[in-house]
Amino acid sequence: DTDADLLTDDDVSDNDPKEILEKIQEQKDIIANVRSRPWSMKKKLKVLDAARRYVEKHEGRLSKTNGYSEAGKEAWRKFKRTANNVCVVLTPWDMRIKTIESYFGSGVASYFIFLRWLVQINVIMAIITTAFLVVPEILVGNTTAGYKQIPVSERKSKWDLHTIWSFGGRLQHSVLFYGYYTNDRVVGNGYRIPLAYFLVGIATFAYSFMALLRKMAKNSRLNGSASSEDDYTFSWRLFSSWDYTIGNQETAENKSAAIATVLREAIVEEQEKEKKEYTRVKLLIFLRVVANILVLLLLAGSLYSIQFAVNRAQSLENEERESTFWEQNELSIVVTAVTMITPSLFEVIGSMEKYHPRNTLRIQLARILMLYLGNLYSLMIGLLGHVAEATAHQQDDTELHKNEWHNVTEAPGNTNIVKKLMSYDRINGSYLEHEVFKNKTAVPGQRTECWETYVGQELMKLTIIDLISTVLTILIVDFIRALFVRYFNRCCCWDMENQFPEYGEFKIAENVLHLIYNQGITWVGTFFSPLLPALNVIKLTLIMYIRSWALATCNVPHQRVFRASRQVSNLRKIYSIRCKIYGKLSNNFYLAMLLFMLFLSLLPTVWVIVKHPPSSCGPFRNREWMYTIVTETMDNDIPSWMKKALGYLTTPVVILPSILLLVMVIYYLQAIARSSKEANNRLKLQLHYERKE
């Protein structure tokens, strides 16, 4: 009866579509059930090939449109599968992160995935600033403006190493910083650089907010669809973790190491669940109180040291002498030293609190976040306070010189002197360097004549010094330490690999918060230095390679391995129909801290735009406030009918109902989310009962 399944073209009449359709259905049934037939493999392949050829030939004869449609769908499925494979191959550092996860666990791998996502964010920010600010300024900007020219006294040293390191000379008068951009309202064929500068500053923050919220929403959606792993944990992971499609030895070794790491994580979780209460409760409470007091003292000392460095830098600028290398970089070095040393002290203090490893990680993250936020705000408050004070002194001195100008011009016989005064310095708009006032006292803080560029230079130096200190820390603390332990262990009377100094462990909390702090500096400094995101891309890329190299060669896995919890959203992207975990971690806990840092980084920029008048350089010079460029554009470039429409939209008649509607929509969406969460919990409970029965 098996030969009846093999059909030829003569078995069916070409003129009977009904019979052809019946035979096609029979052959499709054969294709679907050929695996269950008690035939040899050779026979199965032969019947399957004949059935497929018959279906392809006669089904297309019945309906060419249907055949073309099926062929198109099949081609589209193949294309999507190929595109997904190409995306996986082109994903930066994918195999590197998978290897790290297999040997060091999901918590360490989440740091590198978080770093990769930050690189993507900074690439988009760099593209925005370069396309809409840097390139137009280079192509159509006013390069003959006086404030863009290097002063005569600085031209000889504009390419000296000392000048380049402090971002002075040619670098200061370039597209790197705020002060170089033209203030002409329209340049070229109608491009408005001042308006573009203002809108790009808003766009970078808006894009960062949208990217963060979108990522967090995606992670929450995946977390809601993830199943519980509380039942039969070891059975699931022991019998269902292997991927039978692996055909490479290195991949198999990585997978084996990953399964072993996951099992260790599960064992630690179960041990922590079964751990008895700490018997010496009073001593534990006392140790935790002492630990928190020490943390507060360290935070206060860090803030005081930064404020002291800012005040010292201000006093050194008022002195009429050339500053040394240490004095010029003292502020950046102090900030970097505080951010590098204090987290290690937090870790030592946290070891006496006896928390669960995951809770220890969260508390460590919170403390370091407070440290970094305090350092960043202390630095910005010190710099902007210094700028405000110097600007006030400069305005008072300008009024004094205007009065002297009036007295000189009104005096008879001073025609030649007036001509000399007419050739005043166009770079900074002051009268300090001329013969009439050569005996006057210099204005304190004369670097703040273009204070936006000064702030950008300090943040740029802070970024560079932070990168250098990170590399040196990795080389000294990890690499040299590993070499010392490796080669001197034989000569020592104790086991140096398992006791002091031992191999270093990867500090997840400190390194994650360091990335968030670094990104906060980038967000704050983008308005003052448009190319800072591009520099940060280079910095993060170097950190990715150096950190991964040090991790693979110098560090060892944590002695107490623990998995990234659901609150930290240890999520993985599902690629296959069988819902196998592919290993792409996304941490909502990290993203929430980054969102908080973004909000706090926005406040100094908003204060500068709204409350502080611009200096005598850059795209907003000769304007009372930076935001007046918007009203100026609306008055000069927008048609009258659009002005009326915008004026109507900004009235309370429109704003109040819109706010009420938004509140109602938010409440409705929250109600839907709550109901969906309850339904999801009921389904999970039902599945739990089904597994128990």
Side-chain angles (χ1 to χ4, degrees), residues 663-683:
V663 172
M664 294 173 62
V665 170
I666 291 172
Y667 178 77
Y668 173 72
L669 293 177
Q670 286 182 345
I672 293 178
R674 285 195 298 267
S675 62
S676 300
K677 185 176 181 180
E678 292 176 358
N680 192 20
N681 291 333
R682 287 195 296 269
L683 289 174

Side-chain angles (χ1 to χ4, degrees), residues 374-388:
N375 291 349
L376 182 60
Y377 262 78
S378 179
L379 175 64
M380 292 305 300
I381 290 172
L383 290 177
L384 295 179
H386 168 42
V387 166

Side-chain angles (χ1 to χ4, degrees), residues 301-320:
S302 301
L303 299 181
Y304 174 77
S305 61
I306 293 176
Q307 282 295 325
F308 177 79
V310 173
N311 295 332
R312 176 175 165 81
Q314 181 179 354
S315 62
L316 289 174
E317 285 185 7
N318 297 333
E319 299 179 2
E320 296 182 359

Side-chain angles (χ1 to χ4, degrees), residues 88 91-120 250 254-255 258 543-545 547-549 551-552 570-572 582-587:
V88 171
T91 301
W93 309 303
D94 189 66
M95 291 302 300
R96 183 183 296 264
I97 294 175
K98 285 182 182 179
T99 304
I100 290 172
E101 182 180 7
S102 64
Y103 286 100
F104 292 90
S106 58
V108 177
S110 63
Y111 164 83
F112 290 94
I113 294 175
F114 184 63
L115 190 151
R116 180 176 61 186
W117 187 78
L118 285 180
V119 171
Q120 297 173 1
E250 182 179 359
N254 291 344
K255 186 64 177 178
I543 290 177
M544 167 64 79
Y545 285 106
R547 285 280 185 201
S548 60
W549 166 79
L551 184 68
N570 183 17
L571 304 177
R572 290 152 171 93
Y582 193 72
K584 297 224 170 192
L585 305 177
S586 302
N587 295 332

